[in-house]
Amino acid sequence: MTSPIKSADVLVVEGWLPDYAIQQALTEFKNGSYSLVITTGGSIEKGIYLSEYKNFAEVSAATFKKLGLESEKVVAVPTPMVIKDRSYASAAEFHRWLSDSNLKLQSINVFSLDVHTRRSWLLFKKLLSPNIKVGAIAAKTQDYDPNKWWDYSQGVRTIIDEGIAYIYARFLNWKS
């Protein structure tokens, strides 16, 4: 699902994305009129004893900087540890952070991966609309051919998992 807002103020990137998707997000940032990249994401569950980064927001922010994006254009918004509804928790933490910041945004684009983007878009819109317009941009997956997802076990698992998760998110009564 890709439905970007032209001239969005900020690009919000989900921090758990693979490196190739972060590179796609960097290209989007450079081609757009964004003032900031804001990364979101929860705790890293594996390798935390080996890494200086404790959450996906920090890892992806550091990746953007390593790829050449100026430090002042990247903000990490870590999500507190949760065991369920991680995508919602990231959107809620972004909303909380934004309320406490001096940023006055009219629109954002949420950048996520493949079919997960539809769910993230829904959750960010639930929390931010109508005050902030929310668009969505889906990174292209390298795990399978999206045009023939049924020919790949990873494609089948992703479509089924995300379909169920989207229905859960769509019809659950979220409290903001």
Side-chain angles (χ1 to χ4, degrees), residues 2-160:
T2 295
S3 182
I5 293 182
K6 294 184 192 286
S7 301
D9 303 320
V10 166
L11 185 64
V12 178
V13 178
E14 294 194 298
W16 56 267
L17 301 180
D19 289 345
Y20 69 82
I22 298 293
Q23 289 175 320
Q24 291 176 39
L26 180 60
T27 299
E28 170 62 25
F29 180 83
K30 288 179 176 179
N31 291 336
S33 59
Y34 305 103
S35 61
L36 288 173
V37 167
I38 299 177
T39 60
T40 64
S43 301
I44 296 173
E45 299 167 7
K46 183 177 181 179
I48 61 170
Y49 303 113
L50 304 174
S51 175
E52 65 184 286
Y53 307 108
K54 303 304 177 206
N55 59 68
F56 288 110
E58 293 171 355
V59 169
S60 58
T63 303
F64 276 109
K65 293 172 191 173
K66 188 72 171 177
L67 292 172
L69 191 58
E70 300 90 344
S71 295
E72 64 274 6
K73 293 188 178 182
V74 183
V75 176
V77 178
T79 305
M81 172 62 177
V82 295
I83 58 172
K84 66 175 247 168
D85 302 329
R86 291 183 306 265
S87 294
Y88 178 80
S90 287
E93 187 61 22
F94 171 78
H95 183 249
R96 187 206 59 74
W97 175 86
L98 188 59
S99 297
D100 292 343
S101 79
N102 292 326
L103 281 180
K104 303 296 180 223
L105 302 179
Q106 293 185 0
S107 60
I108 67 167
N109 281 326
V110 176
F111 195 97
S112 192
L113 182 62
D114 196 38
V115 294
H116 180 82
T117 306
R118 183 180 301 266
R119 180 162 43 118
S120 295
W121 186 32
L122 169 73
L123 296 171
F124 274 85
K125 283 195 310 186
K126 280 186 176 191
L127 287 163
L128 300 174
S129 293
N131 299 330
I132 298 172
K133 294 178 185 169
V134 180
I137 301 171
K140 292 177 176 44
T141 185
Q142 293 181 359
D143 293 338
Y144 58 89
D145 179 353
N147 296 318
K148 293 185 175 187
W149 58 266
W150 56 89
D151 283 345
Y152 302 82
S153 62
Q154 183 63 44
V156 171
R157 285 193 308 272
T158 299
I159 296 298
I160 291 172

